[in-house]
Amino acid sequence: SNPFILFREQMANLPVFNNPDYLNFPKIKEGNDLNSLLQNYWMVIHPPILFLGFASTIIPFGFAYAGLINKDHSWTKTSLSWTSFSAAILGTGIMMGAAWAYESLSFGGYWAWDPVENASMVPWMVLIAGLHMNLIYKSTGYSLKSTYIFYIFSFSLILYSTFLTRSGILGDTSVHAFTGADMTVQLLLFLLAFFVPAMALYFVRSKSIPTIIKEESAYSREFWMFIGALVLFLSSLIITAKTSTPVFNKVFGTNIAPPEDVKFSHNQVQKLY
């Protein structure tokens, strides 16, 4: 939590640090190197690409937020290229992480349904749903409200995934999660500062968002794009609910046990989609 703390101050209980000349000890000086997982070349490539994808989701969120404030919905055309960029970068980062997990062999495959893996995939799925809703609105004028909702949720879920990872709440269920960071309050405030005003503004402006009363044909391409986006969103909700079990336990004082076989539990539900 403080990058300026010296190692000898953090580990003062170890006898070796009682000697002011400890840096000249051969074993301390040479060290044991990073573990084999972190020596993999994906360590250099995967994290910055993934974080770029995370950060870029604020652009479609910003377009949607500005549209709600100004009651101007012309942003949907401009946002398409930015949303496509964000979806492509974030999707690429996730695939790179899958390749890293496979090569390191510690996860036993490309995807282990680890909570932090899920936390990166869910915002991407919602963003993809929002991108398709944006395309539908551009083509037919339908699904503008859905576009707003998905863009707001995609960035909010990025903040929620940051909370899951950095708060330490997943310390016992995820090999990715940080522990002891003690940033729970800050991360929750950061999440609420974006999500609550955006959703409040959405409900206030909901009546002024243009909608087409006429039902769309069940044979149209746009209708089935909407169904596909809805499936992605429902899938995201289920994954988020399963991943958030430790959060529910801590908030509500419950003792819900995670599935005995996590992979089977997730696969069983997702195959239905």
Side-chain angles (χ1 to χ4, degrees), residues 30-250:
E30 294 174 8
N32 295 320
D33 296 327
L34 294 171
N35 65 48
S36 57
L37 189 151
L38 297 179
Q39 290 185 43
N40 189 287
Y41 59 90
W42 287 117
M43 172 63 182
V44 182
I45 305 171
H46 162 66
I49 297 297
L50 190 68
F51 292 146
L52 175 60
F54 283 162
S56 63
T57 59
I58 198 174
I59 300 176
F61 172 87
F63 273 118
Y65 197 84
L68 290 172
I69 290 177
N70 300 319
K71 296 183 181 180
D72 180 7
H73 313 296
S74 60
W75 60 269
T76 51
K77 293 182 180 179
T78 311
S79 67
L80 275 174
S81 57
W82 290 101
T83 308
S84 300
F85 170 82
S86 182
I89 294 297
L90 184 52
T92 301
I94 293 170
M95 288 189 289
M96 287 179 172
W100 184 9
Y102 180 77
E103 288 192 10
S104 71
L105 301 179
S106 63
F107 278 41
Y110 289 103
W111 199 263
W113 295 107
D114 180 84
V116 178
E117 288 181 353
N118 297 347
S120 67
M121 182 177 69
V122 167
W124 177 80
M125 293 171 68
V126 176
L127 187 65
I128 291 295
L131 175 61
H132 284 78
M133 293 301 95
N134 198 341
L135 288 169
I136 291 174
Y137 176 71
K138 179 184 176 183
S139 176
T140 65
Y142 288 97
S143 303
L144 180 57
K145 288 186 176 181
S146 301
T147 304
Y148 273 111
I149 284 291
F150 290 149
Y151 282 172
I152 291 171
F153 267 77
S154 62
F155 180 65
S156 299
L157 285 166
I158 291 290
L159 299 181
Y160 181 63
S161 69
T162 305
F163 162 74
L164 289 178
T165 306
R166 294 290 299 171
S167 66
I169 202 166
L170 297 180
D172 296 330
T173 57
S174 173
V175 298
H176 270 97
F178 294 83
T179 56
D182 196 24
M183 297 176 64
T184 303
V185 175
Q186 297 95 314
L187 292 169
L188 278 177
L189 290 175
F190 191 49
L191 168 60
L192 295 175
F194 282 89
F195 181 69
V196 173
M199 289 305 299
L201 195 58
Y202 173 81
F203 286 114
V204 169
R205 297 280 197 259
S206 182
K207 292 184 179 179
S208 66
I209 299 175
T211 56
I212 298 176
I213 305 300
K214 180 182 176 182
E215 290 188 7
E216 194 169 10
S217 171
Y219 297 99
S220 67
R221 173 182 58 184
E222 288 77 17
F223 174 79
W224 289 105
M225 286 174 66
F226 175 79
I227 295 298
L230 188 61
V231 168
L232 285 175
F233 185 63
L234 291 175
S235 178
S236 299
L237 292 179
I238 293 170
I239 295 171
T240 302
K242 283 180 173 286
T243 304
S244 301
T245 301
V247 181
F248 296 150
N249 289 339
K250 188 167 186 178

